[in-house]
Amino acid sequence: MVQTSTSLFVYWEITQEFLDLARAALHEEFTGLWLRLMREGENGSEEVESRFITTHLTNGSHYFTGKKPYSVYFMELAVAYHGSFFTLLRSVSAFLPPAGRVEEKINSITTSPGITPPALPFAYSPTNLQCTRGE
Amino acid sequence: MAKGHLNLVLHAHLPFVYSAREEHHLEERWFFEAMTDSYLPLLIMLERLEQEKVPYALTLSLSPTLLAMLEHPVLARRYEDYLQRLIRLAESEVSRTRGQELFHRLACYYRERLCVLHQIYLERYHSNITAGFASLAKNGKLELITTCATHGYLPLMQTNELVNAQIQVGLDAFAARFGYSPRGIWLPECGYFPGLDKILAENKVEFTFVDTHGLKNAWPPPQNNVYAPVRTPAGVAIFARDPETSSQVWSIQSGYPGNPDYREYYRDIGFDLDEAYLQRFLPYPVRIGTGLKYWRVTGNNLSKEPYDPWLALERAQEHAGNFHFNRERQIEYLAARQAVIPVVTAPYDAELFGHWWFEGPDFLESLLRKAAEYSDVYTLSTPSRYLDAYGCQNTAELFHSSWGEGGYSKVWLNPKNDWLYPRYHQAEKCLIRHAAALPKPDAEKKLLLNQMTRELFLAQSSDWAFMLNAGTTHQYATQRVLAHLENFSRLDTMISNGQNCGAELTAMEITGSDLFPVLKPQSFAPEQFSVLTCREAEPTVLMLSWEYPPEIMGGLARHVEDLSQTLAKQGQPVAVLTSRTGTTAPYEQSGGVYVYRLAPYQKAGEEIDFYDWVMQLNLLFFNLAQQIVSANNTMILHAHDWLVGASALELKRYLQLPLVVTIHSTEFGRNGGLFTDLQRKIHAQEQKLAEGADQLICCSNFMAHEVSRLFSVPLSKISVIQNGVMPEKVVARRLQGEERRKYADDKEAIIYFVGRLVREKGVEVLMRALISVLPVFPNTKTVISGKGPMLELLRRLATEHDVADKVLFTGFVTDEERNRLLATADITVLPSLYEPFGIVALEAMAAAAPLIVSDVGGLGEVVRHGSDGLKFPPGNHLALSAAINTLLADPLLRERLGRQGKERADTAYSWQALAKQTNQIYKQLWEEAQPALKAE
């Protein structure tokens, strides 16, 4: 999932049965899962980041940050196998949009420290920098 | 004539906060406050302009959840009660502040204001202000649009179906209220993602809005910056927010609302005065804002001075003049530089005007009046008016954007709220499945399905993720999401278990039925979905086969296709999971069979070896099969060959389902032994599969004995069901003239072979036999169709035996071409060394082709020597050449064998009979499994 023009969010859920099947099918012992971020290019895909996760972590999520706008990424859940990786799951591709928005905040118009009433969900309380809708 | 236009757009939205259970639900106050501060004042202001015939133009987006609350009779009653309480509080304040002139005047001001609002609400609008907006929209000055059903943030939804649903239901709700469809839509949080335009266009949406960078970053870059709409490839016009107008209202440096004379939002008597005093008027257990605020912004510190509404009004008018002046300069500047008439689009949340910026409606009124009065530089417009007048000059593709902090999805997706998405996504898929499964639900199911839709929609409101991110009222947001998803889950269980609607549903409906009273979840589910959704009365058979037409590697694909389609015709629901290596559809319904095609992630032979590729395919099968099984009450697994064995066995173990396995051939038989590690691995898989199956099927007695012997399984566990043939798929027109000359001269007789070019098919034997045939019948051409690892060896052999010019290798041929060759050939030869069955023999017989086969395995059982064809000992090329010579010399014999072979294929090998036998096995296993399943 695209979070910003340079960051992606991924979550995964696999069952123990699925892992058992992978383990049995590959006739290999493996000790953990790898989360691999792949970038699509003209000549196929390349790994740009990987993280080791234990096999106990059958559910999880992760943010990949500092990535390139205008690029297509996908994530793989893999096991190390025969010196390479065997892919268990692959996400759909996500295109990181151009980085066009300056990360500025139009901050508080007024400053009213002290009692802050519970704001409406749509009250863009500029005081506490929550003017995120329509900034 | 005006040089340009200003599009003022207000977006009014609140999450659905009505509570059926609590008379004084704390969060309903959000709605009441917005009514008092923003919606009513804005409507009254617009009506005043209308009465005075001021030619204003404004776009107002009313969200479906807000519309539902504006029209809700219980909320209307509660709002009136709320107003009355505030009036009593204001009256008390008038008394309390006597002697404090400034505050007393303010208390009187509030009392007067609230009384007027109360009176107008009841007497002019009869407790429903939407009619007021509808009336204003009739003359075209006010353009009403809407947004998605519950303001779900579209870029983070998983399925296009739910994106479409949010849009479609939002538009329908608007049309149901106003009697027409809006031309435009407000995207929740201006959230756009590539491809959204197509869904909008399908819903006949003509225009929408994005944030500044959403258009600036488009490709190709827009020629007119954000000052003219562009059209997306799907045809939707996109207007983008002008940063300058946005900044003038919101900026800390230059934003108007921060002016010291304006009312201070954060100082409210609800927090300043004695709690006991306040509770005499307010029914809530906690301190809340009352809207009675006595202080002005003053400065950036705690020290505040009393508010003067008359001074603030002057300031609002002054600021409107400044805003108007700036637009004139801006539009003059733009008009001088761009060929297209510029339009400045200034969208804001409606609640900004009044609720937060108390003087906002005054500012707006003054601006609308000034723009109408001084219209020589620019005029006010609406998106529809602008598009009707000028259209869109450029087309561009847009990328992901929103108007949230940072410009993308960070506000709605971060560690504070990312836990929402796995839950949302799971529910999305579940709803689509049910909606597709029930294209014509009965009344009970309809209620359940509609409520499921409401619950998911309500959970999806972007407000919850926003609140979780902001940290304000996050407990309420959490509780709302979890409650809706829990309701959703209960309804899912009720539908899945065939339960009736009960009190539970009624309770949920009370909360939600006023929201989207007319829902048609079927309309946003894909027309052709899948067996995932079909709760068939019969146990559904889930077949696993690595090949299925049009991906054909050997006879297995056609076998599975013919069997599954015949079973489906006989009323037995069948789903097939198979591999996808080409561009075939990932899902289709073909011949009544649900076919799912899955492509392993990594490429066989390049990234991983074939065996691992097969295992990856099995993992994909396992995942999808779990979903299919969970969506169906009953299921029998039917696996074909070792390639799907891993997933079949794991599914049987995990899901406790009966497993039927057809072993079409064995690795030992194919290779005449086990010589490599790979062969031994495959053999081990076959062994496990044979042992794990509840019932084995083999296509010939030969195979049954081989399987029994190799895997030590009793013959009683093996049923012999031969392959069948569908004559209509085989019979074809003979090749004539030029068509035939592609293969052989007119004088040449054709000897035909079709099959994989592997050792076990015995093509080498045929090549040797030709040495003895050609001297006797030189006018013959042997045509060999198929591909495989032995191709080069066979070519070399043809050259070595000096028969190369009499042998034609066609490579892979299509089914149609193969059928025509079978119909044309004078003799078809199948010289297999190992053949569990030999489906090609049946197909040749069905095509009335004179046939010579080796007397091996299933081939020997299919063909009766001298009756349906001729047989020769496997591997004996001399015997084969004798048989060929016999047939070439005797046209009458060829004709008789072909005719009799066809008669037999048509009758004894009909798929109808064979499918019935297979179905008997399913039924028997299913009945045996019932007690065990019930015990589970």
Side-chain angles (χ1 to χ4, degrees), chain B residues 62-64 66-68 70-72 125 128-135 138 144 146 169-182 517:
Chain B
L62 294 169
S63 78
L66 176 60
L67 274 175
L70 290 174
E71 302 215 299
H72 201 292
Y125 301 121
N128 183 355
I129 65 168
T130 48
F133 288 120
S135 171
K138 279 182 188 158
L144 290 181
T146 192
V169 172
L171 294 172
D172 286 350
F174 181 96
R177 174 60 193 85
F178 295 103
Y180 64 93
S181 292

Side-chain angles (χ1 to χ4, degrees), chain A residues 3 11 17 63 81 85 87 98 100-101 105-106 108-109 111-113 117 121-122 124-125 127 132-134, chain B residues 14 211 241 250-252 258 264 266 271 300 302 349 404-405 408-409 413-414 418 425 463 466 602 612 616 654:
Chain A
Q3 189 200 30
Y11 71 87
E17 288 73 20
Y63 290 89
Y81 182 69
F85 286 103
T87 305
R101 178 79 170 268
K105 287 179 183 174
I106 300 168
S108 56
I109 296 164
T111 49
S112 296
F122 52 84
Y124 307 92
S125 319
T127 304
T132 45
R133 271 200 202 163
Chain B
L14 279 181
D211 200 1
R241 179 162 77 150
W250 285 113
S251 166
I252 184 173
E264 168 62 63
Y266 295 101
F271 296 89
N300 293 336
L302 278 173
D349 278 308
E405 182 190 339
Y408 302 97
S409 291
L413 176 64
N414 60 62
D418 58 23
H425 294 169
D463 309 87
F466 179 84
Q602 290 163 296
D612 288 343
Q616 210 166 68
Y654 179 47

Side-chain angles (χ1 to χ4, degrees), chain B residues 564-833:
Chain B
S564 58
Q565 290 189 353
T566 310
L567 284 165
K569 277 182 197 149
Q570 291 174 354
Q572 171 61 63
V574 183
V576 175
L577 264 60
T578 189
S579 67
R580 182 177 181 227
T581 52
T583 53
T584 46
Y587 167 73
E588 67 175 337
Q589 257 183 290
S590 168
V593 177
Y594 305 93
V595 183
Y596 298 85
R597 296 188 177 87
L598 296 159
Y601 304 121
Q602 290 163 296
K603 289 177 187 155
E606 294 177 28
E607 293 170 50
I608 49 175
D609 65 28
F610 178 70
Y611 182 86
D612 288 343
W613 181 89
V614 167
M615 289 309 136
Q616 210 166 68
L617 181 68
N618 275 267
L619 291 174
L620 292 169
F621 278 6
F622 180 76
N623 266 353
L624 183 60
Q626 280 185 88
Q627 292 177 46
I628 294 173
V629 172
S630 70
N632 283 270
N633 291 326
T634 54
M635 192 67 74
I636 286 175
L637 298 166
H638 188 164
H640 294 266
D641 274 356
W642 73 273
L643 296 105
V644 297
S647 54
L649 288 169
E650 190 64 15
L651 285 165
K652 171 183 160 56
R653 185 184 73 80
Y654 179 47
L655 301 169
Q656 303 282 302
L657 291 172
L659 171 64
V660 177
V661 173
T662 297
I663 297 185
H664 295 263
S665 63
T666 64
E667 186 67 4
F668 187 96
R670 284 188 292 270
N671 299 293
L674 301 172
F675 307 106
T676 66
D677 283 347
L678 177 62
Q679 288 167 0
R680 281 186 279 276
K681 272 162 85 173
I682 292 171
H683 180 78
Q685 278 290 339
E686 290 173 341
Q687 175 84 49
K688 281 190 207 167
L689 195 56
E691 287 169 0
D694 293 297
Q695 184 68 39
L696 289 166
I697 295 176
C698 290
C699 52
S700 63
N701 288 310
F702 163 82
M703 268 306 293
H705 283 91
E706 181 176 301
V707 166
S708 174
R709 189 181 68 251
L710 284 174
F711 306 122
S712 303
V713 292
L715 277 169
S716 58
K717 190 180 170 179
I718 307 172
S719 300
V720 175
I721 302 178
Q722 290 182 311
N723 279 319
V725 67
M726 290 186 173
E728 65 274 18
K729 288 190 178 178
V730 178
V731 174
R733 197 164 43 84
R734 288 171 67 92
L735 295 163
Q736 302 282 358
E738 279 305 312
E739 289 175 328
R740 189 182 187 281
R741 278 181 216 118
K742 280 191 338 197
Y743 300 99
D745 293 343
D746 291 346
K747 290 180 190 168
E748 286 177 327
I750 294 178
I751 299 170
Y752 186 51
F753 167 87
V754 59
R756 278 178 300 133
L757 302 183
V758 291
R759 191 201 70 86
E760 72 210 59
K761 294 296 176 188
V763 192
E764 194 181 339
V765 181
L766 173 60
M767 303 296 279
R768 290 185 198 283
L770 291 180
I771 301 169
S772 309
V773 171
L774 286 168
V776 184
F777 294 98
N779 279 334
T780 59
K781 178 64 78 62
T782 299
V783 179
I784 295 174
S785 294
K787 57 182 184 178
M790 289 209 38
L791 176 62
E792 283 313 308
L793 178 70
L794 291 169
R795 280 188 203 279
R796 212 164 52 237
L797 214 56
T799 307
E800 283 171 11
H801 295 334
D802 203 21
V803 295
D805 60 334
K806 289 293 180 181
V807 178
L808 175 69
F809 293 94
T810 67
F812 175 81
V813 290
T814 62
D815 280 2
E816 189 187 351
E817 203 175 353
R818 178 206 61 174
N819 292 345
R820 296 196 70 186
L821 280 162
L822 283 173
T824 307
D826 297 275
I827 302 169
T828 295
V829 178
L830 301 174
S832 300
L833 301 173

Side-chain angles (χ1 to χ4, degrees), chain A residues 1-27 36 45 60-63 70 76-78 81-82 84-91 95-135, chain B residues 13-15 29-30 33-34 156 158 189 211 213 217 241 246 249-252 255 257-258 264-266 271-272 287 289 297 299-302 304 349 351 355-356 399-400 402-415 418 421-422 425 462-463 466-467 469-470 472-473 601-602 607-608 611-612 615-616 618-619 622-623 626 646-647 650 653-654 681 685 688:
Chain A
M1 294 164 74
V2 173
Q3 189 200 30
T4 71
S5 58
T6 58
S7 60
L8 297 129
F9 172 70
V10 64
Y11 71 87
W12 66 92
E13 294 177 345
I14 50 172
T15 60
Q16 194 56 50
E17 288 73 20
F18 182 83
L19 272 183
D20 290 346
L21 172 59
R23 188 174 278 123
L26 296 176
H27 292 284
R36 306 174 76 207
S45 55
S61 64
H62 184 68
Y63 290 89
Y70 279 114
E76 284 190 353
L77 201 62
Y81 182 69
H82 286 170
S84 182
F85 286 103
F86 179 90
T87 305
L88 297 176
L89 291 172
R90 180 177 289 177
S91 74
F95 177 77
L96 281 190
R101 178 79 170 268
V102 179
E103 294 280 332
E104 66 176 17
K105 287 179 183 174
I106 300 168
N107 291 341
S108 56
I109 296 164
T110 59
T111 49
S112 296
I115 295 170
T116 302
L120 304 195
F122 52 84
Y124 307 92
S125 319
T127 304
N128 46 18
L129 307 181
Q130 286 160 12
C131 46
T132 45
R133 271 200 202 163
E135 283 191 282
Chain B
H13 163 68
L14 279 181
R29 178 182 46 87
W30 297 343
E33 287 179 13
L156 298 180
Q158 189 179 47
E189 323 298 359
D211 200 1
H213 62 296
N217 292 343
R241 179 162 77 150
S246 180
V249 174
W250 285 113
S251 166
I252 184 173
E264 168 62 63
Y265 176 84
Y266 295 101
F271 296 89
D272 287 348
R287 283 182 177 274
V297 172
N300 293 336
N301 51 50
L302 278 173
K304 300 291 175 191
D349 278 308
E351 297 79 14
H355 175 68
W356 180 69
F399 304 105
H400 188 125
S402 85
W403 77 350
E405 182 190 339
Y408 302 97
S409 291
K410 199 174 172 185
V411 171
W412 299 276
L413 176 64
N414 60 62
D418 58 23
Y421 295 98
H425 294 169
S462 67
D463 309 87
F466 179 84
M467 288 186 221
N469 173 61
T472 53
T473 56
Y601 304 121
Q602 290 163 296
E607 293 170 50
I608 49 175
Y611 182 86
D612 288 343
M615 289 309 136
Q616 210 166 68
N618 275 267
L619 291 174
F622 180 76
N623 266 353
Q626 280 185 88
S647 54
E650 190 64 15
R653 185 184 73 80
Y654 179 47
K681 272 162 85 173
Q685 278 290 339
K688 281 190 207 167

Side-chain angles (χ1 to χ4, degrees), chain B residues 87-105:
Chain B
I87 290 168
R88 286 201 293 277
L89 175 61
E91 281 167 349
S92 174
E93 281 297 283
V94 168
S95 306
R96 189 186 67 82
T97 55
R98 251 183 211 118
Q100 305 173 65
E101 190 191 342
L102 289 175
F103 296 123
H104 183 68
R105 278 177 65 199

